[in-house]
């Protein structure tokens, strides 16, 4: 355990996942290993001329290995294990290998600062270990780590996921020197709010009173606990922007659907808006 799976950034990525991953590994007392993925369509040479295809594949992998080893040397990290993998689908190898070999954190850069690519979503939907997606968006320049939990759930799986989110959020905040903030959203649709049939302030005060012991167990200051009402994707996005949260931690229940693995519409909507570095904690269903 205490092993970090660092995925080297793709070409033209806006953030250096290797440098940040190795720095985080030191802060979190983890042993880092770097994995670089490469693949190229060879226009039929793999079937018509397999020997030529093998030569091209080997050369591409050697070039990437040389570039990354030079980068590791510049970071005084020449002893960090480096693996170059030929794989068409990055997520398949990364999710399987990281779980099989007892890694407990995966780190990857988001290629664009304002949205995820399909590879990022595949990792989110299939990872068996916590996944940290890094971005350099200017909205995440604050000194806070924001975690989202469901204090009101009675579901045992969700309760265990809450505990995992809290534990990982505390560890990340301590390692990075950021202040931990906790958010719980009372889900009230906008149409209900507009009808003005509920006393929203009374509901929020009631929630604080009902969950007072759990909040105390987490150990955050009163001004760092946020119980808010509304749609989760909007409430959490607005809170993260207000705090300029450097990190956002959320649990995700991965399910098998007719169209493949999903994480739920709410979680996906939240993640698609978020501009912080996002740590996704998969549920152990």
């Amino acid at each position: 355990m205490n092993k970090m799976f660092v995925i080297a950034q793709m070409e033209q990525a806006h953030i250096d996942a290797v440098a940040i991953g190795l720095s985080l590994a030191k802060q979190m007392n983890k042993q880092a290993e770097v994995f670089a993925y490469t693949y190229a369509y060879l226009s039929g040479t793999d079937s018509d001329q397999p020997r030529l295809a093998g030569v091209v594949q080997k050369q591409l992998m050697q070039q990437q290995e040389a570039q990354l080893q030079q980068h590791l040397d510049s970071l005084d990290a020449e002893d960090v294990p480096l693996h170059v993998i030929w794989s068409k689908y990055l997520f398949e190898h990364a999710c399987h290998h990281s779980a099989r070999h007892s890694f407990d954190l995966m780190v990857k850069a988001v290629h664009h600062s304002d949205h995820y690519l399909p590879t990022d979503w595949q990792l989110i939907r299939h990872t068996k270990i916590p996944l940290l997606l890094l971005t350099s968006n200017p909205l995440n320049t604050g000194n806070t780590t924001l975690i989202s939990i469901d204090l009101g759930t009675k579901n045992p799986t969700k309760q265990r996921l809450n505990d995992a989110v809290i534990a990982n959020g505390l560890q990340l905040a301590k390692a990075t020197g950021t202040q931990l903030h906790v958010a719980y959203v009372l889900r009230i649709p906008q149409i209900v709010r507009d009808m003005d049939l509920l006393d929203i302030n009374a509901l929020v005060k009631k929630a604080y009173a009902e969950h007072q012991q759990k909040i105390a167990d987490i150990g955050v200051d009163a001004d760092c606990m946020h119980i808010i009402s509304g749609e989760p994707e909007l409430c959490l996005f607005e809170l993260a922007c207000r705090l300029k949260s450097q990190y956002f931690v959320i649990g995700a229940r991965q399910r098998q659907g007719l169209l493949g693995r999903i994480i739920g519409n709410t979680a996906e909507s939240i993640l698609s808006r978020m501009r912080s570095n996002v740590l996704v904690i998969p549920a152990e269903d």
Side-chain angles (χ1 to χ4, degrees):
M1 300 297 286
N2 285 332
K3 295 168 62 179
M4 180 183 290
F5 190 105
V6 180
I7 299 177
Q9 61 274 7
M10 304 296 181
E11 291 184 7
Q12 299 179 344
H14 68 290
I15 190 168
D16 189 343
V18 172
I20 295 176
L22 296 185
S23 177
L24 276 173
K26 290 181 179 179
Q27 292 173 311
M28 302 178 77
N29 195 27
K30 296 182 183 293
Q31 298 296 320
E33 295 187 27
V34 176
F35 292 80
Y37 292 88
T38 185
Y39 185 82
Y41 290 98
L42 301 177
S43 302
T45 57
D46 51 348
S47 58
D48 299 336
Q49 302 180 53
R51 184 176 178 181
L52 176 59
V55 171
V56 173
Q57 176 180 330
K58 183 177 180 180
Q59 184 173 358
L60 289 172
M61 294 176 71
Q62 288 177 338
Q63 287 177 351
Q64 186 168 29
E65 182 177 8
Q67 292 172 355
L68 282 169
Q69 190 60 59
Q70 184 178 12
H71 185 39
L72 289 173
D73 293 345
S74 69
L75 297 171
D76 293 326
E78 57 275 0
D79 294 333
V80 171
L82 170 62
H83 313 273
V84 179
I85 311 298
W86 184 268
S87 178
K88 184 177 181 180
Y89 300 110
L90 178 158
F91 79 93
E92 289 184 346
H93 176 273
C95 293
H96 174 74
H97 189 88
S98 60
R100 181 182 179 187
H101 293 275
S102 301
F103 287 84
D104 51 19
L105 179 62
M106 185 184 300
V107 177
K108 181 187 179 297
V110 177
H111 195 77
H112 298 288
S113 63
D114 56 351
H115 66 273
Y116 295 150
L117 293 180
T119 296
D120 302 317
W121 286 114
Q122 293 284 16
L123 286 171
I124 291 169
R125 292 163 183 156
H126 291 84
T127 183
K128 297 300 181 186
I129 66 172
L131 167 67
L132 177 60
L133 294 170
L134 302 169
T135 178
S136 63
N137 195 286
L139 293 179
N140 71 352
T141 56
N143 193 43
T144 64
T145 291
L146 175 63
I147 70 174
S148 173
I149 58 176
D150 183 0
L151 290 175
T153 184
K154 302 298 183 183
N155 185 299
T157 299
K158 289 185 178 181
Q159 290 175 339
R160 290 194 299 271
L161 186 56
N162 276 342
D163 294 338
V165 168
I166 293 168
N168 280 273
L170 286 167
Q171 181 188 34
L172 182 62
K174 181 179 179 181
T176 57
T178 52
Q179 186 179 40
L180 186 70
H181 285 249
V182 181
Y184 168 44
V185 180
L186 295 171
R187 188 164 188 167
I188 301 176
Q190 185 61 45
I191 188 171
V192 176
R193 294 168 60 88
D194 291 342
M195 293 174 68
D196 201 23
L197 298 176
L198 299 174
D199 186 340
I200 303 298
N201 290 332
L203 290 175
V204 171
K205 290 180 180 180
K206 181 181 178 182
Y208 272 108
E210 287 181 350
H211 305 296
Q212 185 176 7
Q213 184 58 53
K214 183 64 175 179
I215 294 170
D217 292 341
I218 298 172
V220 293
D221 296 334
D223 57 350
C224 295
M225 181 69 218
H226 309 272
I227 297 182
I228 46 186
S229 63
E231 296 289 356
E233 59 268 29
L234 291 174
C235 290
L236 293 171
F237 172 68
E238 291 171 356
L239 179 59
C241 289
R242 177 159 58 85
L243 297 173
K244 293 187 176 180
S245 296
Q246 189 173 354
Y247 298 98
F248 174 71
V249 187
I250 186 174
R253 297 188 67 189
Q254 302 159 324
R255 305 179 180 91
Q256 281 294 138
L258 294 176
L259 301 179
R261 192 175 289 273
I262 60 174
I263 60 169
N265 292 334
T266 300
E268 195 152 322
S269 297
I270 292 170
L271 291 173
S272 64
R273 288 180 178 271
M274 203 56 60
R275 297 296 178 262
S276 306
N277 301 310
V278 170
L279 178 58
V280 179
I281 312 298
E284 295 182 2
D285 288 325

